[in-house]
């Protein structure tokens, strides 16, 4: 057996693909179905000749059984091929304790024998278990045992890759400890193959996906091309028998006994899409000299024939522009610092391509980034498309810990290949669609531009896709200071997004994503287990991340920490047990430790100290982000004018908590114009306003603070000659948080009183009453806000007030009021008197 104790395995996992000697490596493999476990000298010569032919036909690897590994690995090494050994585990071995011990012993022995073989790159665990048997025996039990086998192999052969062979009906066997995902699929239509590979990519996250076609089929060449074109790092395919062929003279043509499955690729992998539209890659840079050169060098290595690079230097004060000039094939645009969105728009207007691809100056793109992205755009008719971004290797443990901490840019999926949000460091748009919606919003200078552009495109009916293999390496904020700076930027962006899209935020002012972030759920307690859709027949399983609700992440929020601290102080003042309050306060650090345990930390930096730093950042990062969001929103709330802008006294119903205002106009100004003015005013002043779809008894909902909300309802009363009376009713209501808080306080006080502790009950009742008074004050302020906003918009539209005047109207208002019928004025005065 060929061995080389000083040489490690040449093929390793690198992001979504495999790598050998620093170059991308595609595992194009076949099985040796007719080769036995023992070969004589003549059979070895024939096998060597066949493997040489396979390599000439663009085959790069083999999949061997345990029996074939002993005689074939040496010959594969001599032919320049690599191999994976398939280790079979039967259903009985996987489910019974005695059988499992036996299989672990056997696999450990095999891993010991071949741990240093130069041709071996990894192991495939083939768990032959049916879906019903897997379900009956317990999925978690099976995964636990498979995880034990993987750890056994890695203990004997630490540099070998390990993957679990799954089938469409047993996809749930996948575990995080795998180095790659390996799936066997039957003959499917090209669209079904693409969908299956995309789904596997989303489960794999930052790991390669390998596909094996179970049976040969006439359309196998296209199937192989589709698998590689969707980002598969490897394909295992059987030979396709060549049909008997005769020329026109009836002479039988000499053909090889089988057709090699990778010949039609002609060495091009992944295959290029049928259409190759021009793509303009836009890089917006500001003081980016640390990462600018590797970014541009990676763009120089792109394997796409029709692209340009436009660099927008947004007023950098370092050597960013000088570095860019070292790449004369790229266009450089220099401008004063105007912010990220303006720079993106400058690049959009300068672009000559049909598609515009945005990545950041601190990113290194994969060589096939554009090839895979354009294929997704063209084949699915997407108007925008994005891909994942992964943190590259960091030399120091502090840098690696910061890179693995929560809050990195990410994508949000609503389906396997459809997105709600694309990370700004990896997104491509149709130039026509981008120009039609007006490009990026200039107010987003450092962050939030990607969220805004995606939501606007979705609102206009455009399709946003996701290409899971079109990834970039994104250098994270690798110091604690930079990490906190990033979280502050995200907090400011959320505060700026809220007035534009209040319907996309929850009651605590956090973005309420409608989709899921792959991999995030497992870092939350209770979210480690994926939801599995079991089929009654042997169809493909579907895996879903459990949905993230506010309750699941509540202990990580600043509001929870403040509430826990208040409960702690109240417990001390009232002299009650500190255990409940301490338990509440402890949930935040527990959640952070849980995140740190499951965070994707670089293996070379594994250690207690690194995990502890991740936990600290996971606990404090969201708080910094939230405090910045509150500060930014507080600065943005302008108060909607002062008392000088108010002209009439509203009709107030304290019992129903309503504020009513009435106006008159002679120019057929309908309520729609008034509501449009109010919507823009609330957005401009930093208050979120949501237009109702028509199912509720109000037109507009405003959320001035977490405790109250305003429901605005309008109505028009039409008169002769185009004259209109506009009625506005603002109803002030509790939010869900207010209701729950007051109810919890009241129930707690009642429960303590029933338990025979009147002093404590009085203290809790006093706290509840104090909270109710504070909320009542917020409701009064919300009523004033509705009053001022309505008056300001009505003044802009020259609507004449019908109520009791606080100040004299302007000339235009007085003229309009003079024209109103007397019966309208009398009716208005009577209504106010009531």
């Amino acid at each position: 057996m060929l061995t080389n104790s000083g040489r490690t395995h040449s093929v390793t996992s690198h992001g979504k693909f495999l790598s050998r000697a620093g170059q991308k490596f595609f595992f194009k493999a076949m099985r040796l179905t007719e080769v036995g476990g023992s070969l004589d000298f003549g059979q070895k010569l024939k096998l060597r000749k066949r493997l040489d032919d396979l390599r000439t036909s663009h085959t790069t690897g083999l999949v061997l059984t345990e029996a074939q590994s002993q005689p074939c690995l040496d010959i594969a090494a001599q032919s320049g091929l690599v191999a994976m050994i398939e280790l079979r585990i039967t259903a009985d071995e996987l489910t019974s304790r005695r059988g499992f011990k036996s299989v672990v012993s056997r696999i450990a022995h095999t891993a010991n024998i071949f741990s240093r073989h130069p041709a071996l790159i990894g192991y495939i665990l083939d768990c032959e278990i049916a879906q019903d048997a897997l379900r009956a025996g317990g999925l978690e039990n099976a995964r636990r045992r498979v995880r034990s086998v993987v750890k056994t192999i890695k203990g004997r052969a630490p540099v070998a890759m390990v993957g679990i062979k799954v089938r469409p009906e047993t996809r749930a066997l996948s575990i995080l400890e795998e180095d790659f995902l390996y799936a066997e699929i039957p003959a499917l239509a090209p669209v079904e193959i693409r969908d299956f590979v995309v789904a596997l990519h989303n489960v794999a996250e930052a790991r390669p996906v390998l596909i094996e076609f179970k049976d040969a089929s006439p359309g196998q060449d296209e199937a192989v091309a589709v698998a590689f074109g969707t980002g598969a790092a490897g394909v295992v395919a059987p030979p396709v028998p060549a049909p008997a062929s005769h020329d026109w003279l009836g002479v039988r043509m000499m053909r090889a006994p089988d057709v090699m499955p990778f010949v039609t690729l002609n060495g091009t992998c992944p295959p290029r899409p049928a259409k190759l539209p021009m793509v303009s890659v836009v890089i917006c840079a500001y003081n980016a000299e640390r990462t600018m050169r590797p970014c541009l060098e990676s763009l120089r290595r792109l394997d796409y024939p029709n692209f340009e690079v436009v660099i927008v230097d947004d007023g950098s004060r370092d050597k960013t522009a000088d570095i860019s000039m070292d790449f004369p094939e790229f266009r450089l645009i220099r401008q004063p610092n105007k912010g990220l969105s303006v720079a993106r728009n400058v690049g959009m207007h300068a672009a000559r391509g049909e598609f515009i691809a945005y990545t950041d100056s601190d990113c290194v793109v994969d060589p096939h980034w554009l090839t895979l992205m354009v294929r997704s755009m063209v084949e699915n008719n997407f108007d925008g498309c994005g891909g994942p971004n992964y943190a590259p290797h960091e030399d120091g443990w502090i840098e690696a810990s910061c890179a693995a901490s929560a809050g990195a840019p990410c994508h949000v999926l609503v389906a396997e290949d459809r997105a709600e949000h694309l990370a700004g460091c990896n997104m491509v748009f149709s130039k026509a669609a981008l120009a039609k919606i007006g490009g990026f919003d200039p107010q987003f200078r450092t962050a939030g531009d990607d969220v805004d552009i995606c939501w606007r495109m979705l609102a206009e009916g455009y399709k946003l896709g996701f290409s899971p293999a079109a990834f970039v390496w994104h250098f994270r904020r690798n110091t604690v200071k930079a990490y906190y700076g990033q979280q502050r930027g995200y907090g400011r962006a959320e505060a700026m997004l809220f007035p534009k899209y209040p319907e996309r935020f929850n009651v605590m002012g956090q973005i309420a994503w409608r989709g899921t972030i792959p991999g995030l759920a497992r870092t939350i307690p209770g979210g480690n287990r994926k939801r599995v859709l079991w089929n009654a027949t042997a169809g493909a399983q579907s895996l879903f991340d459990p949905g993230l609700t506010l309750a699941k992440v509540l202990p990580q929020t600043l509001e929870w920490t403040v509430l826990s601290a208040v409960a702690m102080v109240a417990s001390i003042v009232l002299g009650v047990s500190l255990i409940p309050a301490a338990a509440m306060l402890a949930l935040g650090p527990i959640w952070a430790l849980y995140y740190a345990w499951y965070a994707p930390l670089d293996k070379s930096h594994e250690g207690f100290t690194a995990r502890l730093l991740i936990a600290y950042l996971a606990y404090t990062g969201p708080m910094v982000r939230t405090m910045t969001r509150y500060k930014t929103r507080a600065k943005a709330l302008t108060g909607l004018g002062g008392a000088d802008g108010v002209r009439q006294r509203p009709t107030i119903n304290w019992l129903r908590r309503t504020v009513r205002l009435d106006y008159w106009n002679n120019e057929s100004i309908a309520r729609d114009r008034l509501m449009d003015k109010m919507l823009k005013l609330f957005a401009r002043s930093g208050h979120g306003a949501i237009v109702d779809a028509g199912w509720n008894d109000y037109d507009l909902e405003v959320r001035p603070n977490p405790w109250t909300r305003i429901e605005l309802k309008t109505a028009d009363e039409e008169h002769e000659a185009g004259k209109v009376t506009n009625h506005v009713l603002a109803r002030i209501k509790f939010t869900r948080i207010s209701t729950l808080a007051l109810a919890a306080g009241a129930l707690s006080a009642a429960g303590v009183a029933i338990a025979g502790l009147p002093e404590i009950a009085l203290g809790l009742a006093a706290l509840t009453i104090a909270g109710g008074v504070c909320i009542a004050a917020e409701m009064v302020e919300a009523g004033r806000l509705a009053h001022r906003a309505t008056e300001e918009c009505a003044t802009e539209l020259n609507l004449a007030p019908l109520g009791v005047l606080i100040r004299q109207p302007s000339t235009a208002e007085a003229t309009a009021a003079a024209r109103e019928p007397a019966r309208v004025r009398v009716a208005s005065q009577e209504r106010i008197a009531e």
Side-chain angles (χ1 to χ4, degrees):
M1 179 178 70
L2 288 175
T3 59
N4 184 352
S5 60
R7 178 181 174 182
T8 59
H9 298 284
S10 56
V11 179
T12 58
S13 172
H14 187 65
K16 300 297 294 184
F17 295 97
L18 302 174
S19 176
R20 179 168 65 179
Q23 299 295 321
K24 186 177 287 188
F25 175 82
F26 289 95
F27 188 65
K28 295 177 279 189
M30 296 178 65
R31 289 181 179 269
L32 303 176
T33 55
E34 72 285 358
V35 177
S38 61
L39 302 175
D40 58 28
F41 183 73
Q43 291 172 325
K44 289 182 178 180
L45 288 179
K46 289 181 180 180
L47 180 59
R48 171 64 188 273
K49 175 64 170 62
R50 186 182 177 199
L51 296 188
D52 289 342
D53 291 340
L54 288 178
R55 187 182 181 190
T56 304
S57 303
H58 305 294
T59 300
T60 61
L62 303 171
V63 174
L64 305 173
T65 64
E66 285 186 81
Q68 292 173 334
S69 57
Q70 190 71 40
C72 297
L73 271 178
D74 291 345
I75 303 174
Q78 294 166 6
S79 299
L81 299 176
V82 297
M84 289 192 182
I85 298 177
E86 185 178 72
L87 306 172
R88 294 201 171 189
I89 305 174
T90 65
D92 291 338
E93 290 173 331
L94 188 62
T95 55
S96 69
R97 183 173 299 180
R98 180 176 299 180
F100 182 70
K101 288 183 178 180
S102 174
V103 76
V104 169
S105 177
R106 171 173 58 85
I107 289 175
H109 176 68
T110 302
N112 268 330
I113 293 176
F114 300 110
S115 62
R116 293 290 182 176
H117 200 289
L120 180 67
I121 64 172
Y123 295 90
I124 302 169
L125 298 180
D126 183 10
C127 302
E128 298 178 311
I129 183 169
Q131 180 177 208
D132 290 341
L134 178 64
R135 192 175 188 181
L139 174 61
E140 290 304 318
N141 183 53
R143 294 178 70 184
R144 192 181 305 112
R145 292 193 169 183
V146 170
R147 187 177 292 111
S148 176
V149 175
V150 171
K151 290 181 178 179
T152 298
I153 296 175
K154 289 183 175 293
R156 305 302 191 279
V159 292
M161 297 186 295
V162 184
I164 301 168
K165 181 178 180 179
V166 299
R167 294 164 178 84
E169 65 273 13
T170 59
R171 282 174 51 193
L173 271 177
S174 299
I175 59 175
L176 292 175
E177 288 76 10
E178 294 176 89
D179 296 296
F180 57 87
L181 258 67
Y182 190 98
E184 178 187 85
I185 60 175
L188 299 172
V191 174
E192 294 176 306
I193 295 173
R194 183 183 64 203
D195 293 343
F196 187 77
V197 175
V198 168
L200 286 175
H201 272 300
N202 290 331
V203 175
E205 298 176 28
R207 294 171 293 175
V209 169
L210 280 67
I211 301 296
E212 178 175 0
F213 292 102
K214 183 179 180 181
D215 302 308
S217 63
Q220 184 171 284
D221 286 351
E222 184 180 3
V224 170
V226 169
F228 278 122
T230 317
V235 171
V236 181
V240 180
S245 173
H246 299 81
D247 69 356
W248 64 280
L249 291 176
V251 178
R252 185 178 185 278
M253 304 297 293
M254 299 299 295
R255 299 286 299 272
D258 51 24
V259 176
M260 306 307 175
F262 307 108
V263 174
T264 54
L265 290 176
N266 195 27
T268 302
C269 200
R272 290 173 178 170
K275 289 178 59 179
L276 295 170
M278 185 176 183
V279 181
S280 297
V281 181
V282 175
I283 307 293
C284 302
Y286 176 70
N287 292 342
E289 68 174 323
R290 184 177 72 92
T291 57
M292 196 68 184
R293 188 173 297 278
C295 172
L296 298 182
E297 287 175 349
S298 71
L299 293 173
R300 181 177 273 174
R301 294 191 295 268
L302 275 174
D303 184 26
Y304 187 81
N306 190 17
F307 76 98
E308 65 169 354
V309 176
V310 179
I311 306 166
V312 182
D313 179 15
D314 190 37
S316 298
R317 298 188 297 272
D318 59 4
K319 297 181 180 179
T320 298
D322 296 335
I323 295 172
S324 301
M325 291 177 186
D326 293 338
F327 297 82
E329 67 270 38
F330 301 156
R331 285 194 288 152
L332 173 63
I333 301 173
R334 304 185 69 177
Q335 66 176 27
N337 182 254
K338 297 181 180 180
L340 179 58
S341 289
V342 172
R344 291 197 193 276
N345 288 334
V346 169
M348 175 187 70
H349 292 302
R352 296 191 291 254
E354 180 181 343
F355 294 154
I356 302 178
Y358 290 98
T359 189
D360 291 344
S361 56
D362 55 357
C363 291
V364 172
V365 303
D366 179 75
H368 297 108
W369 172 54
L370 287 185
T371 300
L372 297 169
M373 193 74 81
V374 169
R375 176 183 287 273
S376 295
M377 291 277 289
V378 171
E379 291 184 350
N380 298 283
N381 294 317
F382 290 144
D383 302 292
C385 192
N389 65 97
Y390 303 125
H393 171 75
E394 296 283 359
D395 293 331
W397 70 270
I398 294 179
E399 291 84 351
S401 299
C402 293
S405 297
C410 56
H411 51 274
V412 182
L413 301 183
V414 293
E416 298 287 8
D417 64 344
R418 299 293 291 271
E420 176 188 2
H421 169 245
L422 307 173
C425 59
N426 187 5
M427 56 186 184
V428 179
F429 297 105
S430 161
K431 184 177 182 180
L434 203 58
K436 190 172 181 179
I437 66 170
F440 293 83
D441 188 340
Q443 70 168 313
F444 299 101
R445 295 181 58 87
T446 58
D449 57 299
D450 48 356
V451 181
D452 175 70
I453 199 72
C454 290
W455 286 350
R456 284 163 54 206
M457 291 199 74
L458 290 173
E460 292 295 327
Y462 290 113
K463 292 168 57 178
L464 294 183
F466 183 70
S467 181
F471 76 97
V472 301
W473 297 106
H474 185 206
F475 292 96
R476 304 289 197 245
R477 304 299 189 268
N478 58 2
T479 64
V480 174
K481 181 180 179 181
Y483 173 78
Y484 284 142
Q486 182 188 48
Q487 298 311 304
R488 292 188 187 96
Y490 288 157
R492 285 189 291 269
E494 289 173 349
M496 295 164 66
L497 287 164
F498 177 75
K500 295 186 69 175
Y501 313 97
E503 70 280 2
R504 290 184 175 270
F505 286 74
N506 60 30
V507 294
M508 297 180 68
Q510 302 168 330
I511 296 178
W513 297 113
R514 298 169 184 174
T516 59
I517 303 173
L520 179 62
R522 71 166 180 269
T523 64
I524 306 296
N528 192 28
R529 297 182 180 181
K530 288 183 177 290
R531 296 176 59 196
V532 181
L533 177 62
W534 300 90
N535 295 302
T537 59
Q541 279 182 340
S542 296
L543 304 180
F544 304 95
D545 279 333
L548 285 182
T549 61
L550 178 60
K552 290 183 179 180
V553 298
L554 193 60
Q556 289 183 294
T557 62
L558 174 65
E559 294 85 354
W560 178 268
T561 303
V562 172
L563 180 62
S564 303
V566 170
M568 180 73 73
V569 173
S571 300
I572 295 173
V573 172
L574 297 173
V576 299
S577 174
L578 296 177
I579 294 178
M584 288 179 59
L585 195 59
L587 286 180
I590 290 173
W591 255 240
L593 289 169
Y594 190 94
Y595 175 89
W597 180 261
Y598 287 99
L601 181 64
D602 196 323
K603 293 180 181 179
S604 61
H605 298 298
E606 274 287 0
F608 175 77
T609 308
R611 292 288 179 184
L612 193 61
L613 177 57
I614 294 175
Y616 174 75
L617 295 178
Y619 182 65
T620 58
M623 295 187 186
V624 170
R625 186 170 181 165
T626 303
M627 285 190 288
T628 306
R629 184 172 67 241
Y630 278 129
K631 289 179 181 178
T632 306
R633 285 195 62 191
K635 291 179 180 178
L637 297 177
T638 60
L640 299 174
D644 294 341
V646 174
R647 302 169 299 167
Q648 66 171 318
R649 183 173 291 114
T651 304
I652 300 175
N653 187 320
W654 293 99
L655 183 61
R656 296 183 179 181
R657 303 184 304 278
T658 60
V659 176
R660 178 166 181 162
L661 295 162
D662 303 285
Y663 301 93
W664 172 268
N665 75 86
N666 300 312
E667 301 175 2
S668 301
I669 299 176
R671 65 190 183 93
D672 293 341
R673 290 182 60 185
L674 179 60
M675 294 303 297
D676 183 62
K677 282 279 186 183
M678 296 177 71
L679 186 65
K680 293 178 180 178
L681 178 62
F682 282 124
R684 189 169 63 247
S685 61
H687 297 81
I690 304 172
V691 179
D692 183 67
W695 295 102
N696 295 302
D697 187 29
Y698 57 85
D699 302 311
L700 202 67
E701 180 186 351
V702 185
R703 301 175 183 175
N705 54 66
W707 312 106
T708 61
R709 60 191 179 98
I710 306 170
E711 293 178 353
L712 285 164
K713 181 168 63 173
T714 59
D716 289 340
E717 185 179 343
E718 297 182 357
H719 305 279
E720 68 279 359
K723 300 178 177 64
V724 178
T725 303
N726 308 110
H727 304 286
V728 180
L729 181 72
R731 184 182 294 111
I732 316 301
K733 303 191 74 173
F734 293 108
T735 62
R736 191 172 300 173
I737 290 181
S738 298
T739 304
L740 291 176
L742 293 177
L747 290 174
S748 299
V752 172
I754 294 172
L757 300 172
E759 296 84 0
I760 299 176
L762 286 174
L764 290 174
L767 288 174
T768 304
I769 293 171
V773 171
C774 293
I775 294 175
E778 292 289 347
M779 295 181 74
V780 171
E781 184 57 34
R784 291 174 178 169
L785 175 69
H787 181 201
R788 291 195 298 268
T790 306
E791 281 283 82
E792 186 169 332
C793 295
T795 301
E796 291 182 12
L797 292 172
N798 289 325
L799 303 182
L802 293 178
V804 176
L805 297 181
I806 297 175
R807 67 174 177 83
Q808 292 299 318
S810 64
T811 304
E813 295 167 348
T815 303
R819 295 177 182 175
E820 71 184 62
R823 60 180 177 83
V824 175
R825 290 197 296 270
V826 172
S828 176
Q829 296 297 333
E830 290 177 350
R831 183 172 53 252
I832 294 173
E834 293 174 358

